[in-house]
Amino acid sequence: MVGDRLAAAQRGIALAEVIESAPIAPASGKRVARAAKAVGRVGAPAPTRAGRAPSRGAAGAFTGPFLSPSSLTRAERLKLVDGVERVIEGVFAHLPLKRARYGVDPVQRLRILRTQVDQLSSDEFHIELADVVTRLRDAHTRYAGPASLSTKVAALPFLVEMFGPAASPTYVVTRVAAGLDAAFKPGVVLEFWNGVPIDKAVRRHADEEVGGRTDSQRAWSVQSLTLRSLQYGPPPDEYWVVVGYRSSAADGAPTGSPREIKIPWRVVDPGEIDEMLPSGPTGRAATRLRHTRAVDPAAAIARRAKMLLFAPGALTGEQASAQPTPKSSSGRKAPTAKVIATELTGTLKATSLAQPDGAIAYLRIYGFDVPPEDFIPELQRLIPLLPDNGLIIDVRGNPGGYILAAESALQLFTPKPIQPTRFSILCTAFTRTLAALPGMEGELGPWKESLEAAVRNGELYSQPLPITSFAECNAIGQQYGGPVVLVADSTTYSSGDLFSAGFVDNGIGPFVCVGEATGAGGANVWDYEDLRLLMAGTDFELPTLPDGIGMSFAFRRATRAGPSEGLPIEDVGISGTPYAMTRDDLLAGNPDLLAHCFELLKRQRRSSLIVEASKTAREITVRHAGLTRLDVLFDGHPGSSLALRARAPVVVPYPAGTKVVELFGFGGEELLQKRRVEARR
């Protein structure tokens, strides 16, 4: 039964059965999707004038700004423009940056659009409004369709990735679902996309994507070549694509005769298999978590669709197995991996990688979309099961999630106190009113005074303050004692950016980045509907948006802490040691990337500190390596400072009534290890 449901979800519905398009010739020459004439599950033909729409209920599951067969009334269009304009002008954190960096004025464009509501067709209106938002180059700030589309993704049943130098990448197919021609398989090199040379097609599509740098725009363009969220953008213009490809040699050079394959777009829904909460959690602490997210919502949905098509077991809770690592055509082979079971199969993957000098741990964090009360304990459970010889944390493609989950996780991998990222709010009358609302004291109270002072001082932003408190960032302390290296790429975004920034700024270990830097999502994201409910009855009351339309937006901008204090993340990202993916990395389990990380780990100073609290006495046994001194605190008060002899265990007694014992291991003057132990009273 589960297998049948899974197969049906993977098969999805042909895009041609969902919507039939007729091209519109726009006066501006800009991309315009279609005048929707519905077939199949969509409903009746769409009117092209701005008249009242037919009933929403008749349209079934596939409705929304770009799939809807209906139109908005003139009043609804004006209300929609008004709501988006108020948010962008009143609370959008990056408005000054985007105006300066890209030479765009979204507020003026919206005012012009207000004068054109009678001239534009339904699709032209939605495309123009969405384009205003897309040109902000901010994946946090999205024009969204209704909740009925929240898990719907337009998909082609294969994945494309890039390797080689950024100036001249090679595009290779890395995953292929069942049912396609046998010659179209992982390893073939793409040469044409609908008759256009592949790199040119990618660059053209990048113009419709978010991303503040050329490399991140191209990376997102490649990602969305085959997976596109239907809630956060229009469906593809075409019902199918014609892909020109050739087989390739070990070095990636195309070989053999050119071939073509015609592949139809389909609409898949990972929500049919994995129940998702795209609007955030419910229950205790839900409000805080909803308002302290940092996520690219479109990429988060596409990630689930990728799992549905190519790793469905992760969605169904099936534990990954240690499959034989494929051998590349060049002869290189990734190390043998032993999977360590996790309860969060859609978010985490932990393995032990065999190496001659001892196994290395590998922890893949696909997202920070699990609430911290579940995410952090699962990390704590996994860490003792990981080899302590070294750890590679891989957050490539991580679209973000809960800020608290990302920033709280950093402490588990370092003895140093974590300094959290700072966030500031655009100073406007709107945000001052919001911060002064009853019930917002706990959430925005810390920023309220500086927002009010900005009127007198002429400040553009409020004081930068952390969302995750210093106490929350350091309540648990170090759990993994071996050296750590982090790997990210130019699609690592939002909370993934924050995790990368915290890793670098707190000096946890080397940072390897595929691309110039991370995706550069420097903000906390809020939803329009949440803000509308809060502002009801104020001078800045927001209209209810028609047609189930919504919007996400960057509310608090992030700036870095520690030695990089004050540096922005938005449009800049976090840079590290650059790395270019190889063909073997994409097709044979990352052997070159892993070898690069292994070398970095070998260069790191090694030490260990293993503590065991007695169950019968008030004492802790400490086993250590690579340390010269151990300092002990009892409930934050000095206890003892002990010189350590090589590998000789130490027994640390503690007084009655002690709640917490903290142990600090030094190698010379450098703090290398720290543990926090709940004492037996």
Side-chain angles (χ1 to χ4, degrees), residues 330-620:
S330 68
R332 295 189 185 90
K333 194 173 187 296
T336 302
K338 178 183 178 182
V339 174
I340 300 170
T342 175
E343 297 176 5
L344 302 178
T345 56
T347 301
L348 298 172
K349 182 180 180 181
T351 58
S352 173
L353 305 177
Q355 285 292 286
D357 298 330
I360 297 295
Y362 175 83
L363 179 64
R364 189 79 155 93
I365 305 178
Y366 294 106
F368 293 106
D369 51 353
V370 174
E373 60 265 27
D374 298 319
F375 182 76
I376 299 300
E378 178 62 4
L379 283 181
Q380 290 180 267
R381 188 191 69 79
L382 285 173
I383 285 173
L385 306 177
L386 300 175
D388 63 1
N389 201 38
L391 169 63
I392 300 167
I393 302 177
D394 189 345
V395 293
R396 287 176 295 158
N398 187 315
Y402 298 114
I403 295 171
L404 183 57
E407 294 199 305
S408 296
L410 291 166
Q411 63 188 298
L412 305 178
F413 307 105
T414 179
K416 303 173 183 177
I418 296 296
Q419 295 293 333
T421 305
R422 271 52 172 175
F423 291 82
S424 52
I425 302 172
L426 187 67
C427 293
T428 66
F430 193 125
T431 56
R432 286 193 294 274
T433 300
L434 176 62
L437 290 175
M440 296 300 290
E441 295 87 352
E443 196 161 350
L444 299 181
W447 289 269
K448 183 173 180 292
E449 184 177 349
S450 60
L451 282 171
E452 293 173 347
V455 178
R456 301 184 298 274
N457 302 333
E459 298 288 347
L460 196 59
Y461 287 96
S462 70
Q463 179 184 6
L465 298 169
I467 284 177
T468 308
S469 70
F470 182 84
E472 289 171 316
C473 282
N474 297 282
I476 302 168
Q478 185 182 21
Q479 303 282 294
Y480 187 82
V484 185
V485 62
L486 177 67
V487 181
D489 67 6
S490 51
T491 62
T492 302
Y493 199 75
S494 206
S495 287
D497 279 299
L498 302 183
F499 184 85
S500 302
F503 190 93
V504 172
D505 296 339
N506 289 285
I508 296 176
F511 175 45
V512 177
C513 191
V514 179
E516 294 178 17
T518 57
N524 157 222
V525 61
W526 278 30
D527 291 326
Y528 180 95
E529 183 61 16
D530 286 345
L531 187 62
R532 187 189 70 79
L533 294 174
L534 288 170
M535 301 305 290
T538 71
D539 291 341
F540 297 93
E541 186 168 357
L542 295 173
T544 301
L545 299 185
D547 216 21
I549 298 167
M551 182 183 182
S552 64
F553 58 91
F555 175 56
R556 285 175 278 208
R557 75 161 186 169
T559 51
R560 296 170 66 176
S564 304
E565 185 170 0
L567 293 181
I569 295 175
E570 181 71 19
D571 287 341
V572 178
I574 316 303
S575 59
T577 303
Y579 180 84
M581 297 292 283
T582 67
R583 182 179 187 274
D584 288 344
D585 284 330
L586 298 182
L587 299 173
N590 300 303
D592 299 322
L593 174 61
L594 292 174
H596 180 66
C597 293
F598 292 156
E599 286 301 316
L600 292 175
L601 288 172
K602 286 179 182 178
R603 299 174 197 167
Q604 305 309 301
R605 186 170 183 174
R606 294 176 181 272
S607 63
S608 67
L609 184 68
I610 301 172
V611 300
E612 183 180 352
S614 172
K615 296 180 180 179
T616 59
R618 290 193 297 272
E619 62 183 32
I620 297 171

Side-chain angles (χ1 to χ4, degrees), residues 39-56:
V39 299
R41 293 177 60 176
V42 177
T48 56
R49 59 186 177 83
R52 184 62 193 135
S55 169
R56 273 307 109 195

